Amino acid sequence: MRTSIATVSLSGSLTEKLAAAARAGFDGVELFENDLLASPLTPEEVRARAADLGLALYLYQPMRDVEAVPAEEFARNLRRAAHKFRLMRRLGTDTVLVCSSVAPTAVDDDALAAEQLSALAGLAQEHGVRVAYEALAWGRHVSTYDHAWRVVAAADHPALGLCLDSFHILARGSAPEGVAALPGEKIFFLQLADAPMLAMDVLQWSRHYRCFPGQGGLDVTGLVRAAVRAGYRGPLSLEVFNDVFRQAEAGSTAVDARRSLVALQEAAGLGAPPASVAPTGVAFAELVTPDTEPVTGLLRALGFARTARHASKPVDLWSQGEARVLVNTASATRRDGLTVAAIGLESPDPAAAAERAETLLAPVLPRRRAAEDAPLDAVAAPDGTELFFCATDRPGLPSWTDDFRPLPHRAADPPNAAPGESPDQAPYQDSGPGIDGVDHLALTQPWHQFDEAALFHRTVLGLQAHGSVDIADPYGLLRSRAVTNEDGSVRIALAVGPAPTDDAARPQHVALATRDIVAVARRLRDAGHLLRIPDNYYDDLAAQFALDPDQLATYREFGILYDRDDGGAFRHCYTTAVDRVFFEIVQRDPGYLGFGARNAPIRLAAQHARHAAHL
């Protein structure tokens, strides 16, 4: 189906909004009146600009407080409408949105409303215009779509129909299935918006918290299915009022919006993009740094060894168990410090995963590579993290490991390297189990891209999005949301900070799985890389859980935090941070599915305290 977005959903000038919508691949726009009034372009120039960009002007909006008013006031409304209809002909658009009245002068009289709307439609028809009547959820007398339909049916004018808005319908608790009973030819326009489930005044909810389909909790998919069953064949149009979108760059917002419609059509059975290809594991995490010494010292303390080097780039491979960390100095800057720049995701079909990503508006990134380098497809997540689709060491498929040349390794008495061997090539310690693999990754998103990131990881990567969690930080609230594959072999925790900050301040961390957290924590403590946890935490832990006193004493000594649910126990500790990157060590019982969220405020406070002490 054709796709559209209301210009009010994007930031910037009208010309910027039109350009962003066109670049994202929309077929047209709803033109918001204020955008036209504030534009230096004439209506004819707006029409030409849209046409040059390949955009149709599907709707002009809004007209307000028209119907069920005293005769004198309605006469003024008709004069105002005649001007708008003439303007619309200059713009080249033929449908106007009329919202149900919220005026204090409006009366509760459906017959009068139908009579006046019929007169308005008659005037519109003279100008070649249709009137799409929409029930606002906070309308003074008409606030539901079925009530609006009764008024439209009573008016019985061919130029008068309905505009259905998913927010106004679903926010009132109306069942979307009822829309299927409407005559399709009378559904003139369909506006779509999602929203998180909030207990608040519906007007404030609408004006500030709408989001794109798939980012909230409303059954937008069910409503679209019902409208199509009714016979609607017009565009799917997004009308989203959101404080974040009003401040974010229009281009990225438009791409996010268009992606939501592609995914919505797939869910509603209206489109068939390439099938989702969920990742099956984490191949590697790539760290970019201008100075290798701090991070390599930390990796050695964790038990990693430098096992290979890229054949043509300054990139080293550090390995332990199934965990692989790449340390890259090729594009690092002093300003950014150490960052998690890329993640390798094991894919059962890398080519199909890349094709899916392109269809969902995540273009494959250009990659500088030597002729002999393995061909790897990568896309950029909303926060800029590069995501590689990998088939590590699988027969018949190119593997990223083919680009690396193994380094000779000799046994040594830890923690010293053997003669002629780089210390990086010797494990820091070899007593007891170490790191087995990557448990999860945690990436803090730019403040305006949190919902976009969740939608991206769900639709592009095929991961399951879990509920949002609020976490107390000493300086505000963090919002976190996990995305995982079905068996938990890929877990990514997305978070957004308490306030807009410079990207360089956003923390990132890699959580590493172990079968013996005490052994790894001891290594970190001995090397001076362990984050200390306040004693008060352990006093409270003793009251929360019936832990053995010796076990509790061990946790206290090594800064190990503890959580438990019906599925089992979760033990974790943290390294000190290098710039904004740190590691988490995790010992997870198989049935425990969380991330230790109850302990996050303790970790955040400990990190803030350590940072303050080292200023």
Side-chain angles (χ1 to χ4, degrees):
M1 298 180 75
R2 291 166 291 157
T3 59
S4 169
I5 186 169
T7 57
V8 73
S9 304
L10 302 171
S11 67
S13 67
L14 178 56
T15 53
E16 290 172 324
K17 294 179 181 192
L18 294 176
R23 284 197 303 270
F26 283 97
D27 299 304
V29 298
E30 303 175 34
L31 183 56
F32 192 64
E33 183 173 58
N34 285 354
D35 285 321
L36 176 66
L37 299 181
S39 175
L41 301 180
T42 67
E44 290 79 10
E45 289 171 332
V46 171
R47 178 177 184 170
R49 179 67 60 89
D52 288 345
L53 293 169
L55 294 172
L57 299 179
Y58 287 129
L59 185 76
Y60 187 68
Q61 63 132 320
M63 283 185 64
R64 302 180 184 276
D65 302 328
V66 173
E67 82 287 7
V69 294
E72 184 177 338
E73 184 174 344
F74 183 64
R76 291 196 298 268
N77 289 343
L78 286 181
R79 288 194 296 272
R80 175 165 54 101
H83 166 73
K84 290 184 186 292
F85 297 156
R86 290 191 294 270
L87 176 67
M88 290 173 61
R89 299 311 300 160
R90 296 171 65 192
L91 286 166
T93 185
D94 65 358
T95 306
V96 65
L97 173 68
V98 174
C99 303
S100 63
S101 180
V102 298
T105 54
V107 296
D108 188 7
D109 186 337
D110 283 5
L112 179 60
E115 177 187 336
Q116 292 182 344
L117 285 173
S118 180
L120 178 70
L123 178 62
Q125 190 174 46
E126 293 175 12
H127 291 81
V129 170
R130 304 186 307 167
V131 174
Y133 183 55
E134 174 186 59
L136 296 179
W138 53 91
R140 183 170 178 83
H141 301 297
V142 177
S143 58
T144 62
Y145 81 91
D146 51 341
H147 190 173
W149 166 238
R150 291 196 298 273
V151 173
V152 168
D156 192 23
H157 195 288
L160 178 66
L162 289 173
C163 175
L164 299 180
D165 184 304
S166 65
F167 178 85
H168 293 301
I169 294 172
L170 301 173
R172 296 282 305 191
S174 299
E177 293 80 9
V179 168
L182 297 172
E185 70 276 6
K186 279 297 188 178
I187 304 175
F188 283 3
F189 208 73
L190 182 60
Q191 292 179 320
L192 303 173
D194 207 337
M197 303 307 292
L198 301 173
M200 65 187 308
D201 173 75
V202 69
L203 176 59
Q204 296 303 311
W205 190 18
S206 173
R207 285 287 179 257
H208 301 282
Y209 296 100
R210 292 197 197 192
C211 53
F212 296 128
Q215 295 177 341
L218 302 180
D219 185 12
V220 183
T221 301
L223 181 69
V224 169
R225 287 188 184 126
V228 171
R229 285 202 304 274
Y232 178 72
R233 296 297 182 266
L236 302 179
S237 189
L238 297 169
E239 187 198 41
V240 172
F241 301 92
N242 184 294
D243 294 344
V244 172
F245 297 164
R246 286 188 177 111
Q247 300 174 68
E249 194 271 324
S252 60
T253 303
V255 168
D256 184 30
R258 182 80 169 77
R259 178 181 297 129
S260 76
L261 282 185
V262 174
L264 175 64
Q265 291 181 81
E266 179 182 32
L270 303 176
S276 177
V277 184
T280 57
V282 177
F284 62 81
E286 181 172 357
L287 307 179
V288 171
T289 179
D291 182 5
T292 61
E293 186 174 347
V295 67
T296 55
L298 180 54
L299 288 170
R300 291 191 65 244
L302 285 164
F304 282 82
R306 186 166 66 100
T307 57
R309 187 170 179 82
H310 197 280
S312 61
K313 300 173 185 175
V315 181
D316 290 328
L317 170 60
W318 292 71
S319 304
Q320 186 180 184
E322 294 298 316
R324 306 178 189 90
V325 176
L326 304 182
V327 179
N328 183 345
T329 59
S331 56
T333 66
R334 292 285 173 185
R335 178 184 178 276
D336 293 336
L338 179 67
T339 61
V340 179
I343 300 168
L345 296 172
E346 296 289 356
S347 176
D349 189 340
E355 184 182 5
R356 164 83 177 184
E358 284 193 284
T359 303
L360 271 294
L361 282 77
V364 173
L365 294 172
R367 180 170 173 254
R368 284 190 327 175
R369 63 186 185 91
E372 65 275 12
D373 288 351
L376 293 177
D377 291 324
V379 298
D383 67 345
T385 302
E386 295 185 1
L387 302 172
F388 286 84
F389 301 119
C390 301
T392 305
D393 299 331
R394 294 220 303 270
L397 293 173
S399 174
W400 63 276
T401 53
D402 295 339
D403 295 345
F404 286 80
R405 302 295 177 261
L407 296 172
H409 181 75
R410 304 173 188 170
D413 294 324
N416 299 314
E421 180 183 28
S422 165
D424 291 344
Q425 295 168 240
Y428 179 79
Q429 192 165 324
D430 198 21
S431 59
I435 301 301
D436 298 317
V438 173
D439 182 87
H440 66 272
L441 300 115
L443 305 172
T444 303
Q445 304 298 301
W447 70 277
H448 59 287
Q449 290 180 321
F450 181 75
D451 289 333
E452 179 185 356
L455 180 69
F456 174 93
H457 285 80
R458 182 176 64 81
T459 59
V460 175
L461 301 184
L463 299 177
Q464 302 169 10
H466 302 269
S468 292
V469 177
D470 289 334
I471 297 169
D473 178 271
Y475 299 97
L477 278 179
L478 289 167
R479 187 175 164 210
S480 180
R481 190 173 191 184
V483 291
T484 68
N485 66 354
E486 189 171 351
D487 66 3
S489 57
V490 175
R491 303 182 183 96
I492 301 175
L494 306 169
V496 65
T501 56
D502 185 84
D503 280 358
R506 293 186 287 113
Q508 306 166 308
H509 78 264
V510 179
L512 301 168
T514 182
R515 289 162 291 160
D516 189 346
I517 194 169
V518 174
V520 180
R522 180 178 285 110
R523 298 175 189 176
L524 292 171
R525 184 200 61 180
D526 293 348
H529 292 293
L530 184 68
L531 180 69
R532 300 301 304 174
I533 302 300
D535 281 344
N536 290 339
Y537 168 80
Y538 297 98
D539 294 339
D540 181 72
L541 191 63
Q544 292 247 2
F545 301 102
L547 298 176
D548 178 89
D550 291 340
Q551 185 182 24
L552 184 64
T554 298
Y555 291 170
R556 186 191 303 264
E557 178 182 0
F558 295 111
I560 297 171
L561 299 105
Y562 181 87
D563 190 27
R564 188 170 65 216
D565 63 15
D566 293 341
F570 185 74
R571 305 161 185 84
H572 54 141
C573 64
Y574 297 90
T575 71
T576 55
V578 178
D579 298 319
R580 60 186 175 117
V581 175
F582 58 95
F583 291 89
E584 179 182 6
I585 315 306
V586 167
Q587 186 175 341
R588 175 193 297 271
D589 285 356
Y592 183 94
L593 302 179
F595 296 83
R598 67 177 294 273
N599 294 324
I602 309 302
R603 183 260 298 174
L604 289 162
Q607 288 176 322
H608 281 297
R610 189 179 191 281
H611 178 72
H614 287 78
L615 288 178

